[in-house]
Amino acid sequence: MGKLLIVGTVAFDEIETPFGKTDKILGGAATFIGLAASQYNVESGIVSVVGEDFPQSYINILEDKNIDLSSLEVVKGGKTFYWKGKYHNDLNSRDTLVTELNTLADFNPVVSEAFKDADVVMLGNLHPSTQLSVINQMKKRPKLIVLDTMNFWMDNALPELMEVIKHIDVLTINDEEARQLTNEYSLVKAAKAIQKMGPKYLVIKKGEHGALLFHKEEIFFAPALPLEEVFDPTGAGDTFAGGFTGYLAATGDISFNNMKNAVIHGSNLASFSVEQFGTERMESLKKEEVNKRLHQFKALTQFDIELK
């Protein structure tokens, strides 16, 4: 069994989409990553922080998925990170209405001894200094370090972000962020520029239009499954990351060919995540459903071509 260390937020989300709205519900990058990775035969642990207001019922949801929470700090008297957002009609764009860092503002991650030898480290979207702190706590160089980041850190902590990027193997960002990071409009040119910064691999997420995987001169494209209904895109990118790293940790194979499989597994799980609000769908998701949809992905992408 592979060992996966997940770094990111465990949070409260309040979401409004054209299909409805929620009160405060369970959210956060590490939460979605952990729930997705729990679909695989991996030993996973979360490094994060919550306040005393974080309910035991949410702790139970994570522990019931066999996610180790020994590195989840609970701050007495503290309040949990809270995000409120409203999606536009196309669901591709959203407005952040409220962001309260709370306990996250002074978070210093502490990796438990049990996970300092993790095979795969998934650095979810957080301040680059926090991400680097976790890398520095590992007893040995993990087989694979994957980093997710966003344009906010490119705008506000670029030197720290560039330092972290030197230490990782895979960077996952969206197309807009790839262009911002490199000042290249062509994603192929952007990928080459990013690989010179340190990462051997780059995953560019394109939402409902799938994902691209780059390594040296090779490119692989995974489509997104066309869905009848999308209720809530929150956490879809983190769910992708959880499927991607969970699959790689479970198989122990970090070759480019196996990363192609991992991208499909990540896209597959992300297609479930958007079907209900927050983490609801990922909490109830069964292995049989996952496998059935993987066959749909295969049918979507497989064809014979006759070359003359």
Side-chain angles (χ1 to χ4, degrees), residues 196-228:
K196 287 177 183 173
M197 297 173 186
K200 302 181 198 74
Y201 305 91
L202 171 67
V203 176
I204 297 182
K205 298 173 289 185
K206 294 170 66 66
E208 63 180 321
H209 303 297
L212 289 159
L213 171 67
F214 295 88
H215 173 57
K216 295 181 179 175
E217 299 300 317
E218 295 185 279
I219 306 173
F220 174 72
F221 173 71
L225 197 68
L227 299 171
E228 283 188 31

Side-chain angles (χ1 to χ4, degrees), residues 152-173:
F152 178 83
W153 304 119
M154 296 174 196
D155 292 335
N156 297 288
L158 186 59
E160 295 96 324
L161 177 59
M162 296 304 291
E163 182 59 33
V164 181
I165 286 175
K166 290 178 189 174
H167 294 81
I168 65 166
D169 303 296
V170 186
L171 178 64
T172 71
I173 49 178

Side-chain angles (χ1 to χ4, degrees), residues 164-308:
V164 181
I165 286 175
K166 290 178 189 174
H167 294 81
I168 65 166
D169 303 296
V170 186
L171 178 64
T172 71
I173 49 178
N174 66 30
D175 42 5
E176 177 193 339
E177 291 155 355
R179 290 177 173 127
Q180 179 175 341
L181 188 61
T182 61
N183 292 316
E184 294 282 3
Y185 183 79
S186 159
L187 294 179
V188 174
K189 287 183 178 178
K192 287 177 180 175
I194 288 169
Q195 288 179 76
K196 287 177 183 173
M197 297 173 186
K200 302 181 198 74
Y201 305 91
L202 171 67
V203 176
I204 297 182
K205 298 173 289 185
K206 294 170 66 66
E208 63 180 321
H209 303 297
L212 289 159
L213 171 67
F214 295 88
H215 173 57
K216 295 181 179 175
E217 299 300 317
E218 295 185 279
I219 306 173
F220 174 72
F221 173 71
L225 197 68
L227 299 171
E228 283 188 31
E229 292 182 308
V230 176
F231 273 87
D232 176 18
T234 310
D238 298 312
T239 301
F240 172 91
F244 180 78
T245 52
Y247 178 82
L248 291 172
T251 57
D253 178 357
I254 58 169
S255 66
F256 179 71
N257 272 340
N258 201 46
M259 277 196 196
K260 294 178 186 179
N261 292 325
V263 169
I264 294 290
H265 277 261
S267 296
N268 187 43
L269 289 181
S271 75
F272 286 104
S273 175
V274 301
E275 291 181 342
Q276 289 176 260
F277 279 110
T279 59
E280 286 178 22
R281 191 67 178 95
M282 299 310 294
E283 291 171 39
S284 64
L285 187 59
K286 300 288 188 291
K287 196 75 181 170
E288 310 82 69
E289 296 176 286
V290 175
N291 290 337
K292 183 180 178 183
R293 194 165 286 183
L294 274 173
H295 285 289
Q296 289 180 262
F297 262 96
K298 187 176 180 182
L300 185 70
T301 57
Q302 203 167 44
F303 61 91
D304 294 316
I305 189 165
E306 194 175 317
L307 297 173
K308 293 182 179 179

Side-chain angles (χ1 to χ4, degrees), residues 65-91:
K65 297 291 186 182
N66 296 315
I67 299 169
D68 184 287
L69 299 181
S70 57
S71 300
L72 177 67
E73 181 187 354
V74 181
V75 178
K76 284 196 173 180
K79 292 177 71 178
T80 302
F81 175 74
Y82 164 62
W83 176 83
K84 181 177 181 179
K86 180 177 181 179
Y87 286 88
H88 298 178
N89 285 337
D90 64 357
L91 293 175

